[in-house]
Amino acid sequence: MTVAIYPGSFDPITNGHLEVAIRAAKIFDKLIIGVYATPSKNLLFNAEERVELIRQAITNMKNVDVQAFEGLTVDFARQVNAQVMVRGLRMTLDFEREFDMAMMNKKLYPELELVCFMATLRYQFLSSSLIKEAASMGGNVSDLVPKHIEEALKRKYQGKK
Ligand code: ADP
């Protein structure tokens, strides 16, 4: 059985992330979305909120699970017996950073294989930070995130006003 992890901040999960998860779930027996509890980023949603928002987004995906983790991604991979790590690649944003991290992860856990999915054209420029920026100013992001995420964003930003 091939277990894959899909690690990330997911603050919040977007349709771009979900599209990668759907494609990965077709290939691997089990996909575990790993939520970095404390990334070095300014977070809008805490770890429990991010996990819960993902949980609601994957209810129809039988072989996909979500779990928060702290520390090294490779340690999380070992813990859940994953052989594969999934990442998404957008054309302009991701390659160099992913390459660096892949080299380090290979050193730390040589048996873990990295599989990158090219982001589809319609989500090439979609990121959680852009979603937050748009939503914080009342922009309509309804075709870029699931409905419950749009509502969670509204609650956060309305609460802050
Ligand atoms: P991280 O802090 O690890 O970059 P993110 O939540 O930003 O966490 O992204 C998690 C993974 O999803 C990364 O591999 C990232 O490149 C990928 N990703 C982000 N946005 C998209 C998108 N629109 N399409 C495909 N993959 C994406």
Side-chain angles (χ1 to χ4, degrees):
M1 178 163 124
T2 310
V3 178
I5 56 164
Y6 179 23
S9 309
F10 304 110
D11 185 42
I13 195 159
T14 68
N15 288 348
H17 292 127
L18 281 169
E19 206 257 347
V20 168
I22 290 166
R23 285 157 68 196
K26 283 189 195 149
I27 296 178
F28 304 112
D29 299 308
K30 186 172 177 189
L31 182 74
I32 303 170
I33 302 181
V35 175
Y36 302 143
T38 50
S40 51
K41 289 182 175 178
N42 281 334
L43 291 172
L44 180 63
F45 296 97
N46 68 31
E48 292 96 86
E49 290 172 323
R50 283 176 285 141
V51 167
E52 187 47 39
L53 292 173
I54 294 172
R55 207 182 298 286
Q56 289 174 40
I58 60 171
T59 46
N60 293 331
M61 297 162 74
K62 295 274 169 292
N63 61 336
V64 183
D65 214 340
V66 57
Q67 213 174 302
F69 72 97
E70 295 200 46
L72 288 174
T73 305
V74 290
D75 290 340
F76 174 61
R78 279 202 183 88
Q79 238 178 57
V80 298
N81 295 316
Q83 302 95 321
V84 175
M85 172 155 108
V86 165
R87 296 283 286 173
L89 282 185
R90 287 158 296 180
M91 191 169 63
T92 51
L93 295 169
D94 299 317
F95 186 75
E96 282 178 27
R97 189 164 149 267
E98 290 298 329
F99 204 88
D100 281 355
M101 284 195 299
M103 294 300 112
M104 179 53 80
N105 286 336
K106 199 74 191 162
K107 187 174 160 57
L108 298 173
Y109 185 179
E111 296 79 20
L112 185 69
E113 285 301 341
L114 174 68
V115 174
C116 290
F117 288 77
M118 301 293 173
T120 59
L121 194 55
R122 64 198 284 233
Y123 299 137
Q124 277 294 336
F125 298 98
L126 175 56
S127 66
S128 299
S129 40
L130 257 177
I131 288 288
K132 286 182 280 190
E133 207 176 320
S136 72
M137 292 179 276
N140 180 356
V141 293
S142 58
D143 52 347
L144 301 174
V145 294
K147 187 87 190 140
H148 69 282
I149 304 272
E150 194 191 345
E151 282 158 7
L153 284 162
K154 274 191 192 144
R155 280 196 299 276
K156 279 279 174 194
Y157 288 118
Q158 279 162 7
K160 277 185 180 169
K161 270 179 200 159

